[in-house]
Amino acid sequence: MNQLPLVALIEELGRFFAFTARVFVGIFRRPYRARLFAEQAERIGVRSVPIIALSSLAIGMIFSLQVTWLMAMFRAETMVGATVGMTLARELAPVITSLMLIAKNGSAMTAELGTMRVTEQIDAMETMSVDPVQYLVAPRLVASVVVFPVLTAMANVIGLAGSYLVSVRMMGVDPGGFFDQLYWFVDPVDVLSGLIKASVMGLMMTIICGYFGFYSEKGAKGVGESATRAVVTSSVGILVADYVMADIMLKILY
Amino acid sequence: MNSIVRVKNVYKSFGGNHVLSGASISFEQGKITAIIGQSGTGKSVLIKSIIGILVPESGEIYFRDRELLSAPEAVQDEARRHFGYLFQDSALFDSMTVEENIAFPLIETLHMRDRNEIRAIVREKLEWIGLPGIENTFPAELSGGMRKRVGVARTLALQPEILLFDEPTTGLDPVLAESINDLIVKVNREFDITCILITHDIQATFRISDYIGFLYNGRIEAEGTPESLGDTEHPILRRFISNSFVEREVEGCRDT
Ligand SMILES: Nc1ncnc2c1ncn2[C@@H]1O[C@H](COP(=O)(O)OP(=O)(O)OP(=O)(O)O)[C@@H](O)[C@H]1O
Ligand SMILES: [Mg+2]
């Protein structure tokens, strides 16, 4: 209330880390909630396939359009496959996938948990000796950590298909050269680094969106505000984390 | 006197807002005890402190002579298994059906696994609250009164010794309110469950409860049986009681 902003910030951070610790403890403690995990994996994973397919196809196509045009100036059109493939694998696929999932599932996660908080459903769980963090957040976290890289891998393939469509089929790039350069330049390590990033981003989304939902303020406005803050914080968060991870991975993996 | 829960000198504040300042009351085994008081005086805070959703700054809360606030967490958890709590807005899980709601404590708290047994208990509870056959509906499809009943069924699933009701009749029409009051009496008589009741409904309180405490300014300012409080000397409580009776009578005249 009438606190110094700094004190409030430190308090909030303390609560955030305590929440994070509770989530991790919850994952490793019995009972393991396989059914809830499957439910969440379906919601975050299976039902996101169309939107991720569509957005990665679009990104692959748009990116190739620009790159082919640029490369044509140096008569190096066959480099399109390698350029698009590598950028997708290392950066674009994990970032696009994560941003889409934050918009689609992260906001819903905050809204759901926030509603449960303000209608006292979370308190009700506690009175029945059930740890709400373990019941509600831990399965979502495990699902995200598994599903994000899977959808990212799919985004890689579909993005490349989009690239092939535009550069080879529509702009006349030589298909042999396209694939040769792709195989020559793109390493499994590039793909791997992208998948690891996606996992970390999935983890960040769940913890941040879960946190904002779990500590929503009373009132419908409170839940709406929490959802907005959760989406903004986790989007910015994954971008910052992406840069940091890219920096680290370029040093240790190559 | 055989008290099952005792609250002694409990203090609780939020920031600069001193909600409870030295509240003390004891709840007798097998009886219906009501806490009355104006809106926002901390009635909910008081019973949330009893079941451990809120932690008071100081004071003592006894369950059968065992002090809980200073006890280790395991002791507190064990003691609180004997409590059931009906939330002000029922707090049913709205992503689950009625059946899943009532099955939740059976599966998660009592670790029951036998599906047929669980289904049978759910059916029996629903029959008991007078709403058979609604297993597959979602809470959002139910009226306020029905949600309250399902909430009661869910708390009864854990076979509590003490049931706390937070304003069970607020927001219900008089007929429904009456039926919930009857349900509370039925819970108390048939299962011998100690009931603790928070309410604004003074008339009903005087009819169904065995003992009443008046919360004012963070303390229990007056307490006693309905008979003894009926002609209380306490000026504020007197006004509080007479106002609510007058209101009701006026309402009644308008209706007829
Ligand atoms: N978790 C909380 N955080 C901050 N303040 C709270 C919290 N819970 C209750 N309060 C404050 O405590 C005071 C008493 O609230 P409480 O809900 O106990 O009142 P009440 O007597 O139950 O009222 P009502 O009849 O309206 O339910 C209010 O001023 C409320 O703002
Ligand atoms: Mg209240």
Side-chain angles (χ1 to χ4, degrees), chain B residues 199-227:
Chain B
T199 178
H200 289 294
D201 188 347
I202 306 294
Q203 284 197 324
T205 310
F206 273 75
R207 196 174 61 251
I208 67 171
S209 42
D210 302 300
Y211 199 80
I212 298 172
F214 176 56
L215 185 68
Y216 185 77
N217 271 344
R219 301 156 64 80
I220 299 291
E221 279 275 336
E223 56 185 298
T225 59
E227 295 76 39

PDB file of all heavy atoms in Angstrom, chain B residues 199-227:
ATOM      1  N   THR B 199     -23.417 -15.075   9.452  1.00  0.00           N
ATOM      2  CA  THR B 199     -24.615 -14.680   8.726  1.00  0.00           C
ATOM      3  C   THR B 199     -25.047 -13.250   8.991  1.00  0.00           C
ATOM      4  O   THR B 199     -24.692 -12.626   9.984  1.00  0.00           O
ATOM      5  CB  THR B 199     -25.769 -15.654   9.043  1.00  0.00           C
ATOM      6  OG1 THR B 199     -26.913 -15.231   8.373  1.00  0.00           O
ATOM      7  CG2 THR B 199     -26.038 -15.707  10.521  1.00  0.00           C
ATOM      8  N   HIS B 200     -25.808 -12.728   8.034  1.00  0.00           N
ATOM      9  CA  HIS B 200     -26.477 -11.443   8.193  1.00  0.00           C
ATOM     10  C   HIS B 200     -27.928 -11.659   8.584  1.00  0.00           C
ATOM     11  O   HIS B 200     -28.616 -10.738   8.971  1.00  0.00           O
ATOM     12  CB  HIS B 200     -26.523 -10.696   6.847  1.00  0.00           C
ATOM     13  CG  HIS B 200     -25.216 -10.181   6.395  1.00  0.00           C
ATOM     14  ND1 HIS B 200     -24.558  -9.194   7.064  1.00  0.00           N
ATOM     15  CD2 HIS B 200     -24.444 -10.500   5.341  1.00  0.00           C
ATOM     16  CE1 HIS B 200     -23.435  -8.928   6.433  1.00  0.00           C
ATOM     17  NE2 HIS B 200     -23.341  -9.706   5.379  1.00  0.00           N
ATOM     18  N   ASP B 201     -28.380 -12.896   8.387  1.00  0.00           N
ATOM     19  CA  ASP B 201     -29.796 -13.190   8.527  1.00  0.00           C
ATOM     20  C   ASP B 201     -30.120 -13.411  10.001  1.00  0.00           C
ATOM     21  O   ASP B 201     -30.103 -14.523  10.514  1.00  0.00           O
ATOM     22  CB  ASP B 201     -30.120 -14.436   7.694  1.00  0.00           C
ATOM     23  CG  ASP B 201     -31.607 -14.693   7.636  1.00  0.00           C
ATOM     24  OD1 ASP B 201     -32.345 -14.067   8.426  1.00  0.00           O
ATOM     25  OD2 ASP B 201     -32.022 -15.522   6.822  1.00  0.00           O
ATOM     26  N   ILE B 202     -30.397 -12.285  10.696  1.00  0.00           N
ATOM     27  CA  ILE B 202     -30.553 -12.330  12.151  1.00  0.00           C
ATOM     28  C   ILE B 202     -31.730 -13.210  12.583  1.00  0.00           C
ATOM     29  O   ILE B 202     -31.630 -14.004  13.506  1.00  0.00           O
ATOM     30  CB  ILE B 202     -30.768 -10.903  12.710  1.00  0.00           C
ATOM     31  CG1 ILE B 202     -29.626 -10.000  12.236  1.00  0.00           C
ATOM     32  CG2 ILE B 202     -30.838 -10.919  14.210  1.00  0.00           C
ATOM     33  CD1 ILE B 202     -28.293 -10.371  12.787  1.00  0.00           C
ATOM     34  N   GLN B 203     -32.842 -13.065  11.849  1.00  0.00           N
ATOM     35  CA  GLN B 203     -34.030 -13.844  12.234  1.00  0.00           C
ATOM     36  C   GLN B 203     -33.749 -15.326  12.217  1.00  0.00           C
ATOM     37  O   GLN B 203     -34.028 -16.049  13.184  1.00  0.00           O
ATOM     38  CB  GLN B 203     -35.173 -13.528  11.265  1.00  0.00           C
ATOM     39  CG  GLN B 203     -35.792 -12.184  11.533  1.00  0.00           C
ATOM     40  CD  GLN B 203     -37.139 -12.079  10.864  1.00  0.00           C
ATOM     41  OE1 GLN B 203     -37.340 -12.606   9.766  1.00  0.00           O
ATOM     42  NE2 GLN B 203     -38.063 -11.416  11.507  1.00  0.00           N
ATOM     43  N   ALA B 204     -33.184 -15.783  11.095  1.00  0.00           N
ATOM     44  CA  ALA B 204     -32.908 -17.208  10.980  1.00  0.00           C
ATOM     45  C   ALA B 204     -31.903 -17.638  12.041  1.00  0.00           C
ATOM     46  O   ALA B 204     -32.039 -18.709  12.646  1.00  0.00           O
ATOM     47  CB  ALA B 204     -32.373 -17.530   9.589  1.00  0.00           C
ATOM     48  N   THR B 205     -30.920 -16.772  12.294  1.00  0.00           N
ATOM     49  CA  THR B 205     -29.908 -17.112  13.291  1.00  0.00           C
ATOM     50  C   THR B 205     -30.543 -17.374  14.650  1.00  0.00           C
ATOM     51  O   THR B 205     -30.224 -18.347  15.324  1.00  0.00           O
ATOM     52  CB  THR B 205     -28.914 -15.940  13.448  1.00  0.00           C
ATOM     53  OG1 THR B 205     -28.472 -15.571  12.166  1.00  0.00           O
ATOM     54  CG2 THR B 205     -27.752 -16.333  14.315  1.00  0.00           C
ATOM     55  N   PHE B 206     -31.451 -16.484  15.024  1.00  0.00           N
ATOM     56  CA  PHE B 206     -32.092 -16.656  16.325  1.00  0.00           C
ATOM     57  C   PHE B 206     -32.930 -17.918  16.380  1.00  0.00           C
ATOM     58  O   PHE B 206     -33.127 -18.497  17.432  1.00  0.00           O
ATOM     59  CB  PHE B 206     -32.949 -15.422  16.676  1.00  0.00           C
ATOM     60  CG  PHE B 206     -32.136 -14.360  17.346  1.00  0.00           C
ATOM     61  CD1 PHE B 206     -31.264 -13.575  16.607  1.00  0.00           C
ATOM     62  CD2 PHE B 206     -32.201 -14.167  18.719  1.00  0.00           C
ATOM     63  CE1 PHE B 206     -30.474 -12.612  17.227  1.00  0.00           C
ATOM     64  CE2 PHE B 206     -31.426 -13.197  19.342  1.00  0.00           C
ATOM     65  CZ  PHE B 206     -30.565 -12.418  18.602  1.00  0.00           C
ATOM     66  N   ARG B 207     -33.420 -18.340  15.218  1.00  0.00           N
ATOM     67  CA  ARG B 207     -34.243 -19.540  15.218  1.00  0.00           C
ATOM     68  C   ARG B 207     -33.396 -20.813  15.266  1.00  0.00           C
ATOM     69  O   ARG B 207     -33.693 -21.724  16.015  1.00  0.00           O
ATOM     70  CB  ARG B 207     -35.140 -19.559  13.978  1.00  0.00           C
ATOM     71  CG  ARG B 207     -36.282 -20.566  14.122  1.00  0.00           C
ATOM     72  CD  ARG B 207     -37.253 -20.498  12.964  1.00  0.00           C
ATOM     73  NE  ARG B 207     -36.606 -20.812  11.708  1.00  0.00           N
ATOM     74  CZ  ARG B 207     -36.345 -19.928  10.752  1.00  0.00           C
ATOM     75  NH1 ARG B 207     -36.708 -18.669  10.905  1.00  0.00           N
ATOM     76  NH2 ARG B 207     -35.749 -20.298   9.638  1.00  0.00           N
ATOM     77  N   ILE B 208     -32.336 -20.878  14.437  1.00  0.00           N
ATOM     78  CA  ILE B 208     -31.654 -22.168  14.321  1.00  0.00           C
ATOM     79  C   ILE B 208     -30.424 -22.326  15.211  1.00  0.00           C
ATOM     80  O   ILE B 208     -29.987 -23.444  15.437  1.00  0.00           O
ATOM     81  CB  ILE B 208     -31.253 -22.495  12.860  1.00  0.00           C
ATOM     82  CG1 ILE B 208     -30.174 -21.552  12.348  1.00  0.00           C
ATOM     83  CG2 ILE B 208     -32.467 -22.497  11.957  1.00  0.00           C
ATOM     84  CD1 ILE B 208     -29.608 -21.995  10.998  1.00  0.00           C
ATOM     85  N   SER B 209     -29.835 -21.247  15.713  1.00  0.00           N
ATOM     86  CA  SER B 209     -28.568 -21.487  16.403  1.00  0.00           C
ATOM     87  C   SER B 209     -28.751 -21.657  17.900  1.00  0.00           C
ATOM     88  O   SER B 209     -29.726 -21.217  18.500  1.00  0.00           O
ATOM     89  CB  SER B 209     -27.558 -20.390  16.083  1.00  0.00           C
ATOM     90  OG  SER B 209     -28.180 -19.149  16.106  1.00  0.00           O
ATOM     91  N   ASP B 210     -27.774 -22.342  18.502  1.00  0.00           N
ATOM     92  CA  ASP B 210     -27.792 -22.592  19.930  1.00  0.00           C
ATOM     93  C   ASP B 210     -27.060 -21.500  20.685  1.00  0.00           C
ATOM     94  O   ASP B 210     -27.281 -21.292  21.874  1.00  0.00           O
ATOM     95  CB  ASP B 210     -27.110 -23.937  20.228  1.00  0.00           C
ATOM     96  CG  ASP B 210     -27.786 -25.072  19.499  1.00  0.00           C
ATOM     97  OD1 ASP B 210     -28.987 -25.291  19.741  1.00  0.00           O
ATOM     98  OD2 ASP B 210     -27.124 -25.726  18.670  1.00  0.00           O
ATOM     99  N   TYR B 211     -26.146 -20.832  19.976  1.00  0.00           N
ATOM    100  CA  TYR B 211     -25.302 -19.843  20.632  1.00  0.00           C
ATOM    101  C   TYR B 211     -24.929 -18.795  19.594  1.00  0.00           C
ATOM    102  O   TYR B 211     -24.744 -19.116  18.420  1.00  0.00           O
ATOM    103  CB  TYR B 211     -24.041 -20.526  21.174  1.00  0.00           C
ATOM    104  CG  TYR B 211     -23.318 -19.740  22.243  1.00  0.00           C
ATOM    105  CD1 TYR B 211     -23.762 -19.763  23.564  1.00  0.00           C
ATOM    106  CD2 TYR B 211     -22.191 -18.992  21.930  1.00  0.00           C
ATOM    107  CE1 TYR B 211     -23.103 -19.043  24.548  1.00  0.00           C
ATOM    108  CE2 TYR B 211     -21.516 -18.275  22.913  1.00  0.00           C
ATOM    109  CZ  TYR B 211     -21.984 -18.309  24.226  1.00  0.00           C
ATOM    110  OH  TYR B 211     -21.325 -17.599  25.190  1.00  0.00           O
ATOM    111  N   ILE B 212     -24.806 -17.532  20.016  1.00  0.00           N
ATOM    112  CA  ILE B 212     -24.531 -16.468  19.065  1.00  0.00           C
ATOM    113  C   ILE B 212     -23.426 -15.562  19.595  1.00  0.00           C
ATOM    114  O   ILE B 212     -23.399 -15.229  20.788  1.00  0.00           O
ATOM    115  CB  ILE B 212     -25.799 -15.618  18.801  1.00  0.00           C
ATOM    116  CG1 ILE B 212     -26.893 -16.478  18.177  1.00  0.00           C
ATOM    117  CG2 ILE B 212     -25.486 -14.431  17.892  1.00  0.00           C
ATOM    118  CD1 ILE B 212     -28.236 -15.779  18.054  1.00  0.00           C
ATOM    119  N   GLY B 213     -22.503 -15.209  18.716  1.00  0.00           N
ATOM    120  CA  GLY B 213     -21.475 -14.228  19.089  1.00  0.00           C
ATOM    121  C   GLY B 213     -21.602 -13.012  18.183  1.00  0.00           C
ATOM    122  O   GLY B 213     -21.836 -13.156  16.985  1.00  0.00           O
ATOM    123  N   PHE B 214     -21.447 -11.827  18.757  1.00  0.00           N
ATOM    124  CA  PHE B 214     -21.596 -10.592  17.985  1.00  0.00           C
ATOM    125  C   PHE B 214     -20.216  -9.974  17.792  1.00  0.00           C
ATOM    126  O   PHE B 214     -19.565  -9.564  18.754  1.00  0.00           O
ATOM    127  CB  PHE B 214     -22.526  -9.640  18.730  1.00  0.00           C
ATOM    128  CG  PHE B 214     -22.684  -8.295  18.075  1.00  0.00           C
ATOM    129  CD1 PHE B 214     -23.119  -8.200  16.754  1.00  0.00           C
ATOM    130  CD2 PHE B 214     -22.395  -7.124  18.770  1.00  0.00           C
ATOM    131  CE1 PHE B 214     -23.265  -6.954  16.146  1.00  0.00           C
ATOM    132  CE2 PHE B 214     -22.544  -5.882  18.168  1.00  0.00           C
ATOM    133  CZ  PHE B 214     -22.977  -5.801  16.857  1.00  0.00           C
ATOM    134  N   LEU B 215     -19.757  -9.953  16.544  1.00  0.00           N
ATOM    135  CA  LEU B 215     -18.436  -9.413  16.245  1.00  0.00           C
ATOM    136  C   LEU B 215     -18.556  -7.931  15.931  1.00  0.00           C
ATOM    137  O   LEU B 215     -19.333  -7.533  15.066  1.00  0.00           O
ATOM    138  CB  LEU B 215     -17.808 -10.158  15.071  1.00  0.00           C
ATOM    139  CG  LEU B 215     -16.366  -9.785  14.718  1.00  0.00           C
ATOM    140  CD1 LEU B 215     -15.412 -10.227  15.810  1.00  0.00           C
ATOM    141  CD2 LEU B 215     -15.961 -10.414  13.392  1.00  0.00           C
ATOM    142  N   TYR B 216     -17.802  -7.128  16.657  1.00  0.00           N
ATOM    143  CA  TYR B 216     -17.860  -5.683  16.443  1.00  0.00           C
ATOM    144  C   TYR B 216     -16.497  -5.108  16.790  1.00  0.00           C
ATOM    145  O   TYR B 216     -15.916  -5.444  17.819  1.00  0.00           O
ATOM    146  CB  TYR B 216     -18.962  -5.069  17.324  1.00  0.00           C
ATOM    147  CG  TYR B 216     -19.178  -3.604  17.076  1.00  0.00           C
ATOM    148  CD1 TYR B 216     -19.895  -3.183  15.950  1.00  0.00           C
ATOM    149  CD2 TYR B 216     -18.668  -2.645  17.949  1.00  0.00           C
ATOM    150  CE1 TYR B 216     -20.082  -1.833  15.704  1.00  0.00           C
ATOM    151  CE2 TYR B 216     -18.857  -1.297  17.712  1.00  0.00           C
ATOM    152  CZ  TYR B 216     -19.565  -0.894  16.589  1.00  0.00           C
ATOM    153  OH  TYR B 216     -19.752   0.441  16.351  1.00  0.00           O
ATOM    154  N   ASN B 217     -15.964  -4.245  15.905  1.00  0.00           N
ATOM    155  CA  ASN B 217     -14.660  -3.626  16.149  1.00  0.00           C
ATOM    156  C   ASN B 217     -13.562  -4.647  16.424  1.00  0.00           C
ATOM    157  O   ASN B 217     -12.694  -4.427  17.268  1.00  0.00           O
ATOM    158  CB  ASN B 217     -14.743  -2.660  17.325  1.00  0.00           C
ATOM    159  CG  ASN B 217     -15.140  -1.275  16.856  1.00  0.00           C
ATOM    160  OD1 ASN B 217     -15.058  -0.991  15.654  1.00  0.00           O
ATOM    161  ND2 ASN B 217     -15.569  -0.434  17.774  1.00  0.00           N
ATOM    162  N   GLY B 218     -13.628  -5.775  15.760  1.00  0.00           N
ATOM    163  CA  GLY B 218     -12.542  -6.741  15.887  1.00  0.00           C
ATOM    164  C   GLY B 218     -12.605  -7.625  17.115  1.00  0.00           C
ATOM    165  O   GLY B 218     -11.697  -8.419  17.352  1.00  0.00           O
ATOM    166  N   ARG B 219     -13.677  -7.486  17.914  1.00  0.00           N
ATOM    167  CA  ARG B 219     -13.811  -8.342  19.092  1.00  0.00           C
ATOM    168  C   ARG B 219     -15.217  -8.915  19.152  1.00  0.00           C
ATOM    169  O   ARG B 219     -16.134  -8.373  18.565  1.00  0.00           O
ATOM    170  CB  ARG B 219     -13.560  -7.533  20.370  1.00  0.00           C
ATOM    171  CG  ARG B 219     -12.196  -6.887  20.438  1.00  0.00           C
ATOM    172  CD  ARG B 219     -12.205  -5.685  21.364  1.00  0.00           C
ATOM    173  NE  ARG B 219     -12.486  -6.055  22.744  1.00  0.00           N
ATOM    174  CZ  ARG B 219     -11.573  -6.562  23.562  1.00  0.00           C
ATOM    175  NH1 ARG B 219     -10.339  -6.744  23.164  1.00  0.00           N
ATOM    176  NH2 ARG B 219     -11.869  -6.879  24.787  1.00  0.00           N
ATOM    177  N   ILE B 220     -15.364 -10.003  19.899  1.00  0.00           N
ATOM    178  CA  ILE B 220     -16.703 -10.499  20.162  1.00  0.00           C
ATOM    179  C   ILE B 220     -17.257  -9.654  21.297  1.00  0.00           C
ATOM    180  O   ILE B 220     -16.858  -9.805  22.453  1.00  0.00           O
ATOM    181  CB  ILE B 220     -16.682 -12.001  20.556  1.00  0.00           C
ATOM    182  CG1 ILE B 220     -16.098 -12.855  19.425  1.00  0.00           C
ATOM    183  CG2 ILE B 220     -18.089 -12.470  20.927  1.00  0.00           C
ATOM    184  CD1 ILE B 220     -16.950 -12.960  18.185  1.00  0.00           C
ATOM    185  N   GLU B 221     -18.136  -8.723  20.936  1.00  0.00           N
ATOM    186  CA  GLU B 221     -18.606  -7.744  21.908  1.00  0.00           C
ATOM    187  C   GLU B 221     -19.678  -8.313  22.829  1.00  0.00           C
ATOM    188  O   GLU B 221     -19.837  -7.868  23.955  1.00  0.00           O
ATOM    189  CB  GLU B 221     -19.173  -6.522  21.174  1.00  0.00           C
ATOM    190  CG  GLU B 221     -18.116  -5.559  20.700  1.00  0.00           C
ATOM    191  CD  GLU B 221     -17.714  -4.583  21.806  1.00  0.00           C
ATOM    192  OE1 GLU B 221     -18.530  -4.357  22.717  1.00  0.00           O
ATOM    193  OE2 GLU B 221     -16.581  -4.068  21.750  1.00  0.00           O
ATOM    194  N   ALA B 222     -20.429  -9.260  22.315  1.00  0.00           N
ATOM    195  CA  ALA B 222     -21.484  -9.847  23.135  1.00  0.00           C
ATOM    196  C   ALA B 222     -21.693 -11.268  22.672  1.00  0.00           C
ATOM    197  O   ALA B 222     -21.499 -11.575  21.500  1.00  0.00           O
ATOM    198  CB  ALA B 222     -22.785  -9.056  22.993  1.00  0.00           C
ATOM    199  N   GLU B 223     -22.049 -12.149  23.591  1.00  0.00           N
ATOM    200  CA  GLU B 223     -22.318 -13.526  23.190  1.00  0.00           C
ATOM    201  C   GLU B 223     -23.313 -14.149  24.150  1.00  0.00           C
ATOM    202  O   GLU B 223     -23.484 -13.679  25.272  1.00  0.00           O
ATOM    203  CB  GLU B 223     -21.032 -14.345  23.143  1.00  0.00           C
ATOM    204  CG  GLU B 223     -20.249 -14.362  24.433  1.00  0.00           C
ATOM    205  CD  GLU B 223     -18.919 -15.090  24.274  1.00  0.00           C
ATOM    206  OE1 GLU B 223     -18.960 -16.301  23.969  1.00  0.00           O
ATOM    207  OE2 GLU B 223     -17.864 -14.455  24.444  1.00  0.00           O
ATOM    208  N   GLY B 224     -23.958 -15.198  23.678  1.00  0.00           N
ATOM    209  CA  GLY B 224     -24.926 -15.860  24.548  1.00  0.00           C
ATOM    210  C   GLY B 224     -25.914 -16.658  23.732  1.00  0.00           C
ATOM    211  O   GLY B 224     -25.817 -16.732  22.499  1.00  0.00           O
ATOM    212  N   THR B 225     -26.866 -17.271  24.422  1.00  0.00           N
ATOM    213  CA  THR B 225     -27.906 -18.012  23.724  1.00  0.00           C
ATOM    214  C   THR B 225     -28.846 -17.002  23.071  1.00  0.00           C
ATOM    215  O   THR B 225     -28.872 -15.836  23.476  1.00  0.00           O
ATOM    216  CB  THR B 225     -28.699 -18.877  24.712  1.00  0.00           C
ATOM    217  OG1 THR B 225     -29.262 -17.997  25.693  1.00  0.00           O
ATOM    218  CG2 THR B 225     -27.800 -19.893  25.394  1.00  0.00           C
ATOM    219  N   PRO B 226     -29.614 -17.452  22.078  1.00  0.00           N
ATOM    220  CA  PRO B 226     -30.552 -16.525  21.441  1.00  0.00           C
ATOM    221  C   PRO B 226     -31.474 -15.858  22.453  1.00  0.00           C
ATOM    222  O   PRO B 226     -31.736 -14.659  22.369  1.00  0.00           O
ATOM    223  CB  PRO B 226     -31.339 -17.428  20.496  1.00  0.00           C
ATOM    224  CG  PRO B 226     -30.435 -18.556  20.193  1.00  0.00           C
ATOM    225  CD  PRO B 226     -29.597 -18.762  21.410  1.00  0.00           C
ATOM    226  N   GLU B 227     -31.927 -16.630  23.438  1.00  0.00           N
ATOM    227  CA  GLU B 227     -32.834 -16.064  24.445  1.00  0.00           C
ATOM    228  C   GLU B 227     -32.162 -14.915  25.190  1.00  0.00           C
ATOM    229  O   GLU B 227     -32.718 -13.833  25.355  1.00  0.00           O
ATOM    230  CB  GLU B 227     -33.273 -17.126  25.470  1.00  0.00           C
ATOM    231  CG  GLU B 227     -34.117 -18.249  24.905  1.00  0.00           C
ATOM    232  CD  GLU B 227     -33.284 -19.249  24.123  1.00  0.00           C
ATOM    233  OE1 GLU B 227     -32.155 -19.550  24.555  1.00  0.00           O
ATOM    234  OE2 GLU B 227     -33.749 -19.717  23.070  1.00  0.00           O
TER     235      GLU B 227
END
